[in-house]
Amino acid sequence: MVREAVASDGWSALERPLERALGKRTAAALAKLELRTVGDLLSHAPFRLAHRGELMPLADVREGEAATVIARVTDSRMRPMNSRRGYILTVRVADGVNELDLTFFGKSPRTLDFHAKRLASGVVASFSGTVSSYRGGLQLTHPEYELVEDESDVAKIARPIPIYHATDRLPSWHIRKAVQSVLQALAPSDVPDPLPGEYLAAHRLPSKFEAMRALHCPEDDEEWRAARLRMAHEEAYVLQAALAQRSHRARERATAPFPLADGGLLAQFDAGLPYELTSGQREVSADIAADLAKTTPMRRLLQGDVGSGKTVVALRAMLQVLDGGGQAALLAPTEVLAYQHMRTIEALVGPLAPVELLTGSLTAAQRRRTLARVASGQAGLIVGTHALFSDDVAIPFLGLAVVDEQHRFGVDQRDALAGGGVHTLVMTATPIPRTIAMSVFGDLDVSVLRELPAGRAEVSTTVVPASKEAWVERVWERLGEEVRGGGRAYVVCPRIEDDDEGLPLASVADVSAELREKSALAGIGVGTMHGRMSSEEKAEAMERFASGRAPILVSTTVVEVGVDIPEATAMVILDADRFGLSQLHQLRGRIGRGTAPGVCLAVTSAEKGSLALRRLEAFASTTDGFALAELDLQLRSEGDVLGAAQAGRGSHLRFLSVAKDRKIIETARAAAREAVAADPELVDRRALAEAVAAIDAGRADYLERG
Ligand code: ADP
Ligand code: MG
């Protein structure tokens, strides 16, 4: 077992407050970066390495090039800047033949004191930076430097320089100094390693202690990369151990079994179903039926592209539970969807079983009555929004929780309803690439509905450049044709109203007003829908749209998920580049749900060749959600490379990319599952247990960002 060494002041090395390790001032500055302990500081990894230029004589220094010179300080002076507030420290250095100026800027003389003191006349140091010219002379601005005290220091000078995310008041070099000072005080036993020795040996990875050193002061690039690779393995391993533990714990709790019964509601339902189940629906249903018959709670993720017919699969599971005397709840992400589900279920189940709807907009009296029927067990089928999570909701015989469109809910919510102890079916229409499924839903069994029910119409997609007015006019004419041919058309905008401050984006208010004036659309009713409308207003808008009284619906993405109007054949998405790829796919899934072919027109001002336009082109290239999800992942990884600075923040994954590190994830997953199977509570793996406790397995935020 790994035991952390406890320092004489009572703190284990990594938990030691920075105030004790580095003093008040530095600790206060580091606290701005949320770094409070030695461990925090060590996990603030440099995001890149800078390389010193070739060591060269001052005479060879060229403007615009990286250079490292060894020189002696001959003079230094501090003065206020002329044109703005602040001070400038100029240090002149010479190598006996040539001279070079170094400049440092600071808010006050005090902030520059550190350099002024270290770079006193006579001191020899190596200076690295990019050479610029100023008033005819060459200079280095804020160079990195190392004092040269004796010959052996020259080796140190050859090392790359780690560069940290920094703040104005806390520059990278300052963080570097703090980290180095903390590192020097650490012994190998101070840094417990969540990864077991065999794993390290099998994959030739350094220990965590070695990795910490190599991350913050590598000898060379190779060592730095090896350290990062090791940390990626650790993140994958810890995450997978957390998921394995979650799954193990959930499966340990027994729940009520609901074996298939003859002649019950499910059998009646099947007999009355107006269509044949697809073979995919039958297979998935059989798996679910088998899960429900067990006392081990089902934990299953059903992935099925938009329109693949997940609802009927869920409903069959719910009826199986009802047949066994239990209650079943279906959780929808929005009121519109909850309402629609209730209507669908009522239509399909008819008089077989009553359905209760529980959303936030019930009146107090309605709510009281609904809760009473649910609490008494009289209501077996319950459909609701997050209102189902309220404390006053009791579902005493809950046997199955179905969570629709999972990406709108966090893992925590999923478990909150189910308490982890009832059968749970999670459904998502966002096809999830395999590595991400393993990382985010790694604790669930996965079923996939690949085919769409037969007879589903094709949807063709065209990207329309907003700059081509004639094309955009043609879009509206096309809408008119669709509607006159009996179809319905959605027009999706990123905004509800115009926003004076922000970018000029299409808004529901403007666009609906504009369309009502269009001669190409004369006599066609135009409705609107958005999240600021009450649920009655929304239901009314949906009703006018569905019935054809207002066959053009200008809306925000409230129509995104699950809305099912078979007559809808056209969709125009304005400022389409404002939406994520999976969101666009969801939107497009609202059309082509009947037999008439659909047309989707994505209008955009995105520049030719931009990542935004390439995403839209990918969107137009396929309607296969799984193919799109993979394309999305590739494009995202490119985007992440560009925006690496932001991308790393907010997620607990700093080294691991769920998009790219598939091999690492698979390797770590296998090993972590074995470890948890052998020692479920990780009693002999304290370092791992602590690492698992420290992360929130649910916060892999890929889906949130979708
Ligand atoms: P999603 O998977 O997107 O939730 P739905 O469950 O809303 O899809 O189903 C989409 C449409 O397909 C619905 O109108 C539903 O009635 C219909 N449907 C489902 N299964 C079949 C089937 N086997 N054959 C024909 N139509 C089906
Ligand atoms: Mg659905």
Side-chain angles (χ1 to χ4, degrees), residues 531-553:
R532 272 193 234 139
M533 289 163 53
S534 71
S535 18
E536 290 94 75
E537 288 170 327
K538 277 189 261 180
E540 151 122 35
M542 267 338 267
E543 175 56 40
R544 283 163 46 82
F545 180 64
S547 68
R549 276 187 292 152
I552 293 182
L553 183 63

Side-chain angles (χ1 to χ4, degrees), residues 14 79 156 261 298 369 390 428 561 635 639:
L14 295 183
R79 60 182 165 79
K156 204 162 89 188
M298 168 170 77
R369 282 196 296 274
S390 310
T428 169
V561 186
L635 291 171

Side-chain angles (χ1 to χ4, degrees), residues 141-223:
T141 304
H142 276 276
E144 296 279 344
Y145 62 89
E146 299 276 359
L147 303 188
V148 177
E149 272 138 29
D150 63 60
E151 286 300 301
S152 68
D153 276 353
V154 175
K156 204 162 89 188
I157 290 159
R159 286 186 183 175
I161 307 160
I163 305 294
Y164 294 88
H165 285 300
T167 66
D168 273 357
R169 292 199 35 226
L170 194 64
S172 172
W173 64 264
H174 198 157
I175 298 175
R176 186 155 63 96
K177 287 280 173 275
V179 174
Q180 314 254 327
S181 124
V182 156
L183 264 179
Q184 267 164 18
L186 282 187
S189 62
D190 289 333
V191 185
D193 197 333
L195 293 177
E198 313 86 77
Y199 189 91
L200 298 178
H203 304 287
R204 297 164 181 269
L205 301 171
S207 73
K208 182 150 192 177
F209 175 76
E210 290 163 44
M212 282 298 139
R213 195 201 44 74
L215 209 52
H216 293 288
C217 40
E219 299 279 348
D220 51 33
D221 291 23
E222 189 55 40
E223 207 186 59

Side-chain angles (χ1 to χ4, degrees), residues 394-410:
I395 316 179
F397 307 105
L398 183 66
L400 168 67
V402 179
V403 185
D404 194 15
E405 315 297 354
Q406 160 71 22
H407 63 290
R408 296 294 189 84
F409 295 104

